[in-house]
Every structure is written in C-alpha cells, then in structure tokens.
Amino acid sequence: METRTERNGGAFLTDRAAEMDGPYVAVVGQAGGVEGSRVGATNIGRLRQGKAARGGVNVSSWHLRVFAAVVGVMGCLLLAASLVMSALHQVQFRNGAISVNFRGLQELKHNFVKKEQSEQIMHERLLQMATLATTKNESDDGNFALWEEPYKQARKWTPCAAKYTLEEEPSDDNNGFILISANGGLNQQRVAVCNAVVVAALLNATLVLPRFLHSSVWKDKSQFGDIYQEDYFVNYMKSDVLIVKDLPPHLQSLDLEAIGSQVTDNDISKEAEPSEFIRTALPILQKNGVVHFLGFGNRLGFDSVPADLQRLRCRCNFHALKFAPEIQKLGSLLVQRLRGVSAMQTEMDKQLFGSNMLERPFGEKGDDAGGPSRYLALHLRFEEDMVAYSLCEFGGGEEERRELQAFRETHFPALVTRLRNTTVSPEELRSQGRCPLTPEEAGLILAALGYDRGTFIYVAGSQIYGGATRLRPLTRLYPNLVTKEDILSSDELAPLKNFSSRLAALDFIACASSDVFAVTDSGSQLSSLVSGHRVYHGRGRAPTLHPNRKRYAQILSEEGGIEWAGFQRRVRAMVDEYKRVRARPRGRTVYRQPRT
C-alpha cells in the first residue's frame, strides 16, 4: 500500500489512497480535525464489523446513506482545516514567522544566531578593566603624549639615500641585462625591486623593468606600470643604474632557462652576501649577456652590503617608487575623508601623492573648520595563513585545531612534513613571542596606552581569521573602526576590484599618512615598509607603536594577579623602549630602519 504525504498550508496530511483500512486519518495541527476524523474512523470500523457478522449480506440503502454522510462530513472537515491552515500560514509568513514546527531547523537557526552573537575572548578579566579604562580615558584627553615622538633626536640623522661622494653615471657598455620576476604581494615585490637595483649596480648591468609573477594566493595580474610610475622610476634612478623597459630584440627570443641564464631562489641563499651574486650570477651574465632571477624573494642581505649600494636601496624605496596616478588620487581621497580635511597636510602627503592630491568635491561635508581629525592606523596581521603557519592556539579549542591543521595540510605541506618528527608546544611558542596578536590583544595595548573609546581607527589587512567573533572584543573597546571599504564607495573602488596589490597600496597609503601607526607583527612586510616610510619622511612627527611580543606574552601570562595600573605601566614601558631614536641594529632591514 502506497502512502502519500503532502504539505498544505503548514499541515501534514497523510492519506491512504488505496483503501481506508487504517484506524483514522490524522490532520496534524488542527484539534477539531483530529477529533472529527476519529469519529469518522469509528463509524467506518463498525460498518466493516457489521458486514463481517452477516457473512457478506448486502448493506442496506440506509447504511449507504449514513456512510456517504460520514464521508461527506469528513471531507468538509478536511477542506475547512486546509483552508484555515493555509490562511494562517500566509499571515505568519508575511510577518516573518514560519508556522511549521520543525525542531531541527529551529535548533540550527538558534545555534547560528548564538554563534554570530558570540565573542572569541582570551583575556576576559583584562578586557573588562580595559572597557572601563577606555571610557575613563575620554576625560584624560590631552594627557597622552604618544601622538608624537622626540623630534630633536630624530632630526639629527642623515637620510640613508644621501650621496657621500660624486660618482660617475653608469655606462651602457656593461656586462649585460638583469631581469627579475618577483613573487609575493605588493610589499614583497617592492623589496624585490629595490634589491634588484642593488644587484644590477653590483654586477655592472642594465636592469630591465621588473616583472611580477601571478600568484595563486594573491591572484593579481598587475605589472609594474599598473602599480608604480614607470618613467619616474627610470628617470630618478638613471644616475645610479640604467633601467630599460624591455630586453633588446636579440635577447627576447632566447629560452633563458635552456641557455642556463635562469637563476631561482634555490640557487641563491636567503639574504645572501654580495660576493655570492658575483660568484653565481656574474659568470652567467658575462657569458650570455642576460640573467633572469626567478622569484627573488629576500635574496640580498643587509649588513654585508657596502654603504654606496645600501644608499641605492634607500633611493629606490623612499624616492623612486611612486604609486600610479590612479592609486595616488584614490589614496588621497581616502586620507582626506579619514582626516576630514581637503588641503595637503604633511610632508608624507607630498611624497605619497605628489601633484595627484585631490581636492574634495564641492559640497562634500568635512571638518575643515575645526581642523583635521586624528586617526590611528592598525595593521591586524591575523589572517588565516598567518595564524595557521604560527602553530599557536587562540582559544578556539578542538574545532580551531582541526580547522588550522586542515589549512596547513592544504597550503603548507612542507611545514606539515617537518612537524611529523617534531613536537611543538603552543604555550612555548607564545612565551617566545612567536604568536600573532589577536584583535583583542591589540585592543588591550591601545587601551593601556591611553587611547579613549572615541579614537578613530583605520584597520588595514586582509580578512581576519574568525571574522566578527574575533573582532568583537576590539570593537567593544573601540567602536569607531573603519576600513577602506567603509570610507570609499563601491563605485570608487571598482577600478581596483580583483587587484589585491593595488588595493593593498591603499592600505599602505592610509597607514603611512596616519597620525599614529600601530603594528601587531613587526615581521610583516607592510608593517616594515610603512614604519620605515614614517621614519624617513615623518620628520619625527609620525610615531609607530611596536609591541615586543615576547615581553607582552610575559605580561599576559600574569593577568590573573595584575591590576590595570600595573598592566598599563608595563605596556607603556614596552612601547616606549622601541620609540627611542637609535641607529639601525645589526641584521635589521634598512627599509624598516633607515636611520644612519
């Protein structure tokens, strides 16, 4: 026997089509319908019992009329129940409520809402104290001096791009051509470009305008001219290195890998000394007239590079690389809206935008009358790749561990292979300062430094691992968080859509132009390059907040017994330590610390 179930107006009707042998027909959700169907079923049962007792005697016409009447009444009840339930369903649907009592769906919705509204908190006690402190800080505005750094000390240093002796301009009668194809994103490629300038000068070669590799991670096909001004770069560096846009025709047709002119990152040590390039690449260059460096990620060291070549790095990074006009104009609009003013304000603006600093369109609201608004730029380096590669844990339990391990197996198979024979303790990694700071931990630092709840914060970086649940502890402290997507309209951002490096250039600009730049990972290329730009062009008025993650981990490990005043004192001492004006320590990049 076949059973058909259909959904009508929120009710589930079960109907036996072949025979009416069942005890009764149920109408779910309608009390009267259930009762009526039971009455009809009882009468049907009695009729069948009477037929059996009489041994098959024909049923009288009276009985047939009774049977027909019962069936008719039951049919009317079913029709009425269906119409009533359908009407109720339509009314409830319009009011956003679904009348079907499907327990599994309700539980799923409840869990989803609960998850969306939750917070991922690791330091509940400190967060509660910080919440009170940020509100109290509003009355202490003006007492906090970290908006600026000691200018008297900072102004004494000599720019690392300054020439020390008169040098001859390069000659086109040299050893050949250097070609690089740089991997990574915007900031890694920027470092590769300036390192290539140094290598070309070292090998007495002509540099071909660098090319950028298309990465499966960054998914950006932008080339040098899409991000930077080609002619400006070539002309600015012409007194140091000859730069051309293409290889000469007789070299373009060559298979560089086949003739042995391709050098990969496997052929050159990381942060190699200049002597290694002379030993490895110069013979190839002299033989074939061209060398192609493929990848070229962090292949040139710092301490071993002579001062005259180090200077080329500075000239390239701090002067020669200007963003393309399209990026400059949109970046200037972004900064204007963040500050609430239309006029060019700082030396940094002149370096970043040049003649492409836009005036605010007539009629657009601003804050010019009251002066510029201050804003803090925060680089949250808490993307999933960073979190997974760190091997740290962030309070998400077993679900987090499974998720990050799956990501590592997909994106970092070499790391997974190494870990099979090694035991790594997340607690030990954290104590060594090797774990990226969560948004919550970054917010606690800002609160300890005295930034009040009303501080306007521009957040740079990619998608935060954990999404809104990870950001909520930070937004609880600082609700005025914005990104470039909040400040610029979708139409304004449309030309840069699907170009991650060009969008990253806007973050670079907003961070470099900010009144204060707060770093959560000193090792990131964006933080390193922006910090260096603020030192080089900021004239001592562009402070950067660098936490010492190892010291900060020690402070957080004692949070159970520490009061807010003690936490605040120790965090300020940690940040003040980095703000001292001093020469570049050994082994540090000149892009980040250009003082000399």
Side-chain angles (χ1 to χ4, degrees):
M1 176 172 34
E2 219 174 291
T3 302
R4 177 172 58 87
T5 303
E6 64 181 34
R7 181 174 174 180
N8 185 7
F12 291 93
L13 307 181
T14 303
D15 200 14
R16 298 191 183 272
E19 298 181 9
M20 298 185 68
D21 288 338
Y24 57 87
V25 178
V27 183
V28 180
Q30 187 78 10
V34 171
E35 185 62 29
S37 63
R38 285 174 178 165
V39 173
T42 302
N43 289 334
I44 292 172
R46 288 173 181 171
L47 287 174
R48 293 191 180 276
Q49 290 171 4
K51 178 178 178 180
R54 288 190 296 272
V57 178
N58 291 336
V59 182
S60 68
S61 61
W62 184 82
H63 286 138
L64 289 174
R65 285 195 296 272
V66 171
F67 177 80
V70 169
V71 171
V73 169
M74 188 174 66
C76 291
L77 288 172
L78 287 172
L79 179 61
S82 176
L83 292 173
V84 169
M85 292 301 296
S86 179
L88 286 173
H89 175 75
Q90 293 297 325
V91 172
Q92 290 171 334
F93 182 79
R94 291 190 183 96
N95 289 328
I98 300 176
S99 60
V100 181
N101 185 21
F102 185 32
R103 183 177 301 172
L105 181 62
Q106 286 183 333
E107 289 178 354
L108 180 64
K109 181 178 179 182
H110 172 74
N111 291 337
F112 176 76
V113 171
K114 182 179 179 181
K115 185 176 180 180
E116 282 294 300
Q117 293 177 347
S118 66
E119 292 180 326
Q120 189 73 52
I121 297 175
M122 297 177 64
H123 311 283
E124 179 66 43
R125 182 171 175 271
L126 282 174
L127 189 62
Q128 290 177 355
M129 292 189 290
T131 302
L132 294 175
T134 53
T135 303
K136 179 178 177 294
N137 286 343
E138 291 180 351
S139 61
D140 298 333
D141 190 33
N143 295 333
F144 183 54
L146 276 179
W147 290 106
E148 296 185 2
E149 65 177 357
Y151 183 49
K152 288 183 179 180
Q153 290 175 277
R155 68 181 178 180
K156 294 178 181 179
W157 67 278
T158 302
C160 63
K163 284 191 176 184
Y164 298 104
T165 59
L166 293 175
E167 300 173 7
E168 296 181 1
E169 291 192 1
S171 169
D172 56 3
D173 182 18
N174 54 29
N175 290 321
F177 295 85
I178 297 294
L179 176 67
I180 73 157
S181 295
N183 58 17
L186 172 77
N187 301 294
Q188 292 90 332
Q189 290 167 347
R190 186 184 185 103
V191 170
V193 169
C194 295
N195 286 347
V197 167
V198 175
V199 171
L202 175 69
L203 301 179
N204 187 27
T206 297
L207 177 66
V208 179
L209 207 63
R211 299 172 183 174
F212 297 153
L213 294 173
H214 179 255
S215 167
S216 60
V217 177
W218 294 95
K219 299 177 181 177
D220 189 340
K221 296 181 180 179
S222 299
Q223 288 302 314
F224 189 97
D226 299 314
I227 301 173
Y228 301 108
Q229 298 177 33
E230 291 182 352
D231 292 338
Y232 188 91
F233 175 69
V234 171
N235 291 328
Y236 192 90
M237 298 303 303
K238 68 182 181 181
S239 63
D240 302 291
V241 176
L242 284 180
I243 303 175
V244 296
K245 295 186 178 181
D246 293 295
L247 284 171
H250 72 280
L251 293 177
Q252 291 182 17
S253 60
L254 294 179
D255 185 337
L256 299 184
E257 183 178 6
I259 67 173
S261 279
Q262 182 167 288
V263 178
T264 70
D265 282 357
N266 293 327
D267 302 317
I268 298 287
S269 305
K270 185 178 180 181
E271 298 189 0
E273 295 186 358
S275 59
E276 186 171 343
F277 282 90
I278 294 173
R279 185 174 61 253
T280 304
L282 184 58
I284 300 173
L285 183 63
Q286 292 173 331
K287 177 183 176 182
N288 298 330
V290 59
V291 171
H292 178 204
F293 290 100
L294 182 63
F296 206 61
N298 296 324
R299 294 301 109 179
L300 182 63
F302 289 93
D303 294 325
S304 58
V305 176
D308 60 326
L309 294 179
Q310 201 78 279
R311 178 184 62 83
L312 298 187
R313 275 177 157 155
C314 292
R315 283 175 58 76
C316 171
N317 183 52
F318 298 116
H319 295 281
L321 288 177
K322 302 294 185 184
F323 288 120
E326 179 184 50
I327 295 175
Q328 286 183 324
K329 291 175 182 178
L330 196 55
S332 71
L333 184 61
L334 174 63
V335 171
Q336 285 173 7
R337 289 178 180 169
L338 285 168
R339 289 189 186 144
V341 294
S342 59
M344 194 177 295
Q345 294 294 308
T346 67
E347 177 66 24
M348 182 71 71
D349 294 339
K350 296 176 184 177
Q351 293 294 330
L352 289 171
F353 309 125
S355 61
N356 288 311
M357 184 77 177
L358 293 180
E359 292 293 330
R360 180 186 288 118
F362 179 76
E364 185 172 313
K365 292 183 179 180
D367 193 30
D368 293 62
S373 300
R374 285 175 165 177
Y375 75 94
L376 180 148
L378 173 64
H379 183 212
L380 284 176
R381 190 69 172 94
F382 201 73
E383 299 90 349
E384 188 170 14
D385 61 336
M386 179 74 173
V387 171
Y389 197 84
S390 72
L391 303 177
C392 299
E393 294 183 357
F394 301 91
E398 188 59 33
E399 181 182 356
E400 176 190 281
R401 283 191 286 271
R402 286 197 305 268
E403 187 174 71
L404 294 179
Q405 179 61 20
F407 186 92
R408 282 190 286 267
E409 290 174 355
T410 301
H411 298 279
F412 306 124
L415 175 63
V416 174
T417 301
R418 290 202 306 269
L419 290 175
R420 287 172 184 162
N421 301 320
T422 306
T423 302
V424 179
S425 167
E427 294 77 14
E428 184 178 355
L429 291 173
R430 186 168 294 280
S431 68
Q432 294 172 353
R434 295 170 62 182
C435 297
L437 300 187
T438 66
E440 174 191 2
E441 290 167 341
L444 291 174
I445 290 176
L446 296 180
L449 293 177
Y451 291 97
D452 62 51
R453 181 176 170 81
T455 302
F456 200 67
I457 299 178
Y458 177 89
V459 178
S462 302
Q463 190 171 3
I464 302 300
Y465 173 69
T469 58
R470 278 289 179 191
L471 274 174
R472 282 197 182 95
L474 177 59
T475 56
R476 184 203 293 191
L477 297 174
Y478 298 102
N480 296 328
L481 260 64
V482 296
T483 64
K484 54 183 173 292
E485 289 80 10
D486 298 315
I487 302 299
L488 299 172
S489 70
S490 57
D491 288 341
E492 289 166 336
L493 286 169
L496 308 188
K497 186 179 180 182
N498 300 324
F499 297 106
S500 59
S501 291
R502 300 184 215 180
L503 288 171
L506 296 181
D507 279 339
F508 185 104
I509 288 170
C511 292
S513 297
S514 63
D515 295 276
V516 175
F517 178 46
V519 174
T520 60
D521 176 28
S522 299
S524 81
Q525 291 282 18
L526 174 66
S527 296
S528 178
L529 290 170
V530 169
S531 298
H533 261 73
R534 293 173 64 81
V535 168
Y536 195 92
H537 294 299
R539 298 186 176 183
R541 297 184 177 90
T544 298
L545 309 180
H546 279 268
N548 182 312
R549 289 191 302 187
K550 185 174 182 179
R551 288 179 61 181
Y552 190 41
Q554 177 63 35
I555 297 171
L556 292 176
S557 69
E558 303 171 16
E559 66 175 298
I562 194 172
E563 295 303 322
W564 183 250
F567 178 77
Q568 187 178 48
R569 182 178 63 256
R570 293 175 69 179
V571 167
R572 290 195 177 195
M574 172 187 70
V575 173
D576 279 339
E577 177 66 22
Y578 183 86
K579 284 179 77 268
R580 294 179 182 177
V581 178
R582 54 190 169 188
R584 177 173 59 91
R586 184 171 178 79
R588 300 297 176 85
T589 163
V590 71
Y591 300 124
R592 173 178 163 187
Q593 295 179 308
R595 290 189 172 110
T596 181

